């Protein structure tokens, strides 16, 4: 009989103390930070679910790799090790290291994206969109229709709408589309996976029109394990085989190793195109560094290479997805509306549904983020009208986002089940007094990316 209890498949060798604050302290901290959790010091946070990026706990093997790193400027042994691991897992010919995902995006799009270019994606991550728009291109999201309703479960809400892709290509012409992208898992769409069938279908359309397909690869292992769990025909395949198949349909990828690379910094850019790779390396030298270190230290390349192998351990992935699901199921059972089903790296609470008394432009997501900190020192992020609200250029009126979500992103290998139990308890406490929560108004903001720095006041 298999055990019902899925355990953390590691034991803890190094610990990092976290500090409990008193309710009075938290009230003062919130006021000092103008109710913006990006302005709170991490020492004042008990459980930090702001992001799963760069926050993983490295293994003993990774730390040993750090000592082993070769810091040579050119021809570093650590680079050749890293390159062989990436080639073996993903199967691409050229592997270009960069300091994080957005550096890969900047280099790639600087070469392929021109004013007027159109780049479709299931859902662009903020930095991907920003890099495209900065170059005068248009970033278009084509999420599948099942993703619109947060409450109805569907196994692959990260899928791209393939009919919409075909329509778009017919409308604008393939020559305006330098590449199509698929983000696995779809972070902005709720951490939801993309199915193998969808990757294959998108790839077929791209090949018909001679458009390269790129994967935004940050959470590739979680996506592969969700394919194994949810897609018929993949139960008996290994995650490595599933990953190899996923990437066999693509012409290249961008990667932030701060997620499924289990590293605190790093990323890479891959392609099979010799000429493009040459141009990418020239740009790399300009701003990141020589192609055998790409803006990283040799030790970082070692940590990434080892992390990329560890993340494919199926005991790890089983535990990883079980712990995210555990959080989601325990709060959903008590009536907290979450994006269903739980995805790979985070649970998203639908704050618009949970707090219907707070109108979108009084930021229900922000109200929940503040209350979770007030209740238990937990830090989460608003993904709603604070982050994605826009201003009508003619009237100056603020237009709310489509959804008011709060993301609880789970750092990899960092928190134990009792930490998650504590988070569940805090969320349920807030949920039981949800009718008392009130909205916020923004009293100071910057014109771009306001969520990082704006100041709020309770209404
Ligand atoms: N693509 C996706 C899907 C991401 O989630 C991120 C980062 C990036 C690209 C950019 O990578 O940060 O290494 O430059 N996501 C983080 C998050 C920041 O919190 O979701 P980066």
């Amino acid at each position: 009989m298999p055990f019902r209890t899925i355990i953390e498949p590691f034991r803890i060798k190094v610990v990092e103390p976290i500090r409990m604050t008193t309710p009075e302290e938290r009230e003062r901290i919130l006021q000092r930070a103008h109710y913006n959790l990006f302005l709170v010091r991490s020492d004042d946070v008990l459980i930090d679910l702001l992001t799963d990026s760069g926050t993983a706990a490295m293994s003993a093997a990774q730390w040993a790799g750090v000592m082993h790193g070769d810091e040579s400027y050119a021809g570093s042994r650590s680079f050749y090790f890293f390159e062989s691991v990436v080639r073996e897992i993903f199967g691409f010919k050229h592997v270009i290291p960069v300091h994080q995902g957005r550096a890969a995006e900047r280099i790639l799009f600087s070469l392929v994206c021109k004013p007027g270019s159109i780049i479709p994606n299931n859902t662009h991550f903020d930095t991907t969109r920003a890099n495209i728009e900065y170059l005068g291109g248009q970033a278009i999201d084509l999420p599948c229709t099942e993703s619109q309703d947060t409450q109805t479960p569907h196994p692959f809400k990260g899928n791209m709408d393939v009919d919409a892709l075909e329509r778009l290509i017919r409308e604008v012409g393939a020559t305006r589309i330098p590449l199509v992208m698929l983000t696995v898992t779809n972070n902005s769409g709720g951490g939801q996976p993309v199915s193998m069938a969808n990757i294959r279908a998108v790839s077929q359309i791209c090949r018909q029109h001679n458009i390269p397909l790129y994967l935004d690869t940050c959470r590739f292992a979680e996506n592969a394990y969700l394919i194994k769990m949810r897609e018929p025909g993949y139960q008996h395949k290994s995650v490595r085989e599933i990953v190899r198949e996923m990437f066999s349909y693509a012409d290249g990828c961008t990667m932030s190793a701060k997620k499924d690379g289990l590293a605190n910094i790093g990323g890479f850019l891959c392609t099979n195109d010799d000429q493009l790779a040459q141009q990418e390396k020239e740009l790399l030298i300009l701003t990141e560094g020589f192609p055998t270190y790409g803006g990283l230290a040799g030790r970082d390349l070692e940590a990434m290479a080892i992390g990329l192998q560890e993340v494919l351990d199926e005991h790890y992935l089983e535990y990883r997805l079980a712990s995210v699901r555990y959080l989601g199921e325990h709060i959903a059972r008590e009536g907290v509306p979450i994006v269903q089903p739980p995805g790979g790296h985070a649970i998203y609470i639908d704050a618009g549904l949970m707090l219907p008394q707070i109108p979108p432009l009084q930021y229900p997501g922000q109200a929940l983020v503040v209350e979770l900190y007030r209740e238990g020192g937990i830090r989460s992020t608003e993904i709603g009208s604070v982050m994605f609200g826009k201003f009508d250029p003619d009237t100056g009126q603020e237009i709310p986002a489509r959804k008011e979500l709060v993301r609880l992103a789970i750092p990899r290998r960092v928190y134990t089940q009792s930490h998650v139990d504590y988070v569940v308890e805090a969320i349920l406490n807030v949920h039981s007094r949800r009718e008392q929560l009130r909205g916020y108004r923004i009293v100071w903001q910057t014109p771009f990316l306001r969520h990082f720095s704006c100041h709020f006041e309770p209404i």
Side-chain angles (χ1 to χ4, degrees):
M1 275 276 282
F3 274 90
R4 272 184 300 113
T5 310
I6 298 170
I7 62 167
E8 290 86 358
F10 47 80
R11 54 187 179 185
I12 295 164
K13 184 175 257 181
V14 178
V15 296
E16 186 178 10
I18 48 178
R19 188 174 75 92
M20 185 55 113
T21 44
T22 63
E24 295 73 34
E25 280 177 311
R26 290 200 288 281
E27 208 51 60
R28 271 200 307 277
I29 290 162
L30 278 171
Q31 279 173 19
R32 221 171 30 221
H34 305 279
Y35 301 93
N36 185 338
L37 276 288
F38 282 104
L39 304 180
V40 169
R41 289 177 182 224
S42 63
D43 277 349
D44 293 332
V45 175
L46 185 68
I47 306 233
D48 204 346
L49 308 182
L50 187 75
T51 179
D52 64 319
S53 181
T55 50
M58 293 215 295
S59 66
Q62 283 176 296
W63 283 112
V66 165
M67 286 309 295
H68 199 65
D70 173 3
E71 305 303 342
S72 305
Y73 187 95
S76 157
R77 175 185 67 235
S78 299
F79 170 74
Y80 292 108
F81 169 47
F82 162 76
E83 182 189 48
S84 70
V85 169
V86 175
R87 273 200 188 134
E88 199 226 327
I89 295 173
F90 300 95
F92 293 115
K93 189 167 168 196
H94 300 283
V95 180
I96 296 169
V98 293
H99 77 274
Q100 63 182 78
R102 64 199 73 183
E105 293 163 4
R106 194 187 63 79
I107 290 172
L108 173 65
F109 291 123
S110 301
L111 291 165
V112 304
C113 180
K114 307 272 173 297
S117 293
I118 290 178
I119 293 151
N121 200 328
N122 44 357
T123 309
H124 287 277
F125 182 69
D126 333 5
T127 57
T128 324
R129 169 177 292 280
N131 271 296
I132 292 167
E133 290 175 351
Y134 183 73
L135 292 159
Q138 214 182 323
I140 296 197
D141 292 338
L142 302 174
C144 65
T145 44
E146 291 86 354
S147 68
Q148 306 305 325
D149 170 10
T150 59
Q151 298 307 289
T152 316
H154 177 278
F156 292 106
K157 279 186 169 176
N159 284 353
M160 179 178 270
D161 181 339
V162 283
D163 295 333
L165 176 64
E166 287 196 292
R167 269 198 308 278
L168 178 76
I169 298 173
R170 264 202 311 277
E171 265 165 41
V172 305
T175 49
R176 272 183 73 189
I177 305 179
L179 58 88
V180 171
M181 232 176 176
L182 271 177
T183 304
V184 295
T185 57
N186 188 356
N187 180 16
S188 315
Q192 299 291 317
V194 180
S195 70
M196 192 72 85
N198 191 251
I199 301 176
R200 203 182 297 124
V202 170
S203 161
Q204 264 167 13
I205 297 170
C206 288
R207 290 198 176 158
Q208 268 167 28
H209 292 93
N210 246 328
I211 304 172
L213 172 62
Y214 271 68
L215 299 188
D216 177 338
T217 314
C218 303
R219 300 176 179 88
F220 74 101
E222 289 166 6
N223 199 102
Y225 198 75
L226 286 164
I227 288 178
K228 186 177 170 111
M229 285 167 70
R230 297 183 186 171
E231 191 161 350
Y234 288 93
Q235 279 67 22
H236 302 296
K237 294 227 157 103
S238 72
V239 165
R240 267 181 191 272
E241 286 171 310
I242 295 172
V243 168
R244 241 353 232 272
E245 183 180 343
M246 285 165 63
F247 286 84
S248 71
Y249 301 122
D251 302 285
C253 74
T254 57
M255 171 71 177
S256 166
K258 299 172 75 172
K259 286 84 168 172
D260 272 351
L262 297 177
N264 301 127
I265 196 71
F268 53 86
L269 171 59
C270 290
T271 173
N272 288 328
D273 181 328
D274 296 340
Q275 197 194 338
L276 183 62
Q278 189 51 42
Q279 293 170 322
E280 286 170 350
K281 284 181 195 164
E282 283 160 21
L283 274 188
L284 186 80
I285 293 176
L286 215 60
T287 57
E288 292 272 307
F290 193 71
T292 57
Y293 72 86
L296 293 162
R299 54 180 171 267
D300 301 323
L301 295 167
E302 294 277 342
M304 262 201 290
I306 297 166
L308 286 166
Q309 294 171 308
E310 289 180 354
V311 82
L312 296 173
D313 173 0
E314 299 194 16
H315 293 297
Y316 160 75
L317 285 167
E318 181 190 31
Y319 135 78
R320 167 75 177 156
L321 293 167
S323 68
V324 172
R325 195 167 60 235
Y326 181 91
L327 169 59
E329 283 173 355
H330 278 73
I331 59 173
R333 208 163 59 191
E334 303 296 326
V336 179
I338 62 165
V339 174
Q340 289 283 9
H345 68 293
I347 291 297
Y348 294 67
I349 299 177
D350 190 329
L353 279 181
M354 178 171 163
L355 306 171
Q357 75 275 21
I358 304 179
L361 291 180
Q362 291 180 17
Y363 315 119
Q366 189 61 27
L368 182 54
V369 161
V370 170
E371 207 59 25
L372 286 175
Y373 181 76
R374 184 177 273 136
E375 175 69 24
I378 298 162
R379 178 153 69 173
S380 53
T381 2
E382 193 262 10
I383 303 195
S385 292
V386 177
M387 192 180 271
F388 291 124
K390 291 204 172 75
F391 287 93
D392 185 312
D394 300 324
T395 64
Q397 282 228 322
E398 192 174 346
I399 308 164
R402 271 211 318 250
K403 290 183 197 137
E404 304 297 335
L405 303 179
V406 167
R407 182 179 79 168
L408 305 157
I410 316 290
R412 292 168 181 79
R413 305 193 291 207
V414 170
Y415 294 117
T416 63
Q417 182 168 343
S418 65
H419 289 123
V420 180
D421 283 330
Y422 172 91
V423 173
V424 168
E425 192 176 331
I427 294 171
L428 295 183
N429 289 348
V430 170
H431 188 244
S432 68
R433 60 165 194 274
R434 63 189 177 281
E435 280 154 23
Q436 294 157 24
L437 267 59
R438 294 293 169 263
Y440 284 79
R441 76 170 70 86
I442 294 180
V443 292
W444 181 83
Q445 61 184 299
T446 52
F448 298 105
L449 300 172
R450 66 174 178 180
H451 56 282
F452 289 131
S453 58
C454 66
H455 295 175
F456 298 93
E457 232 172 51
I459 291 177

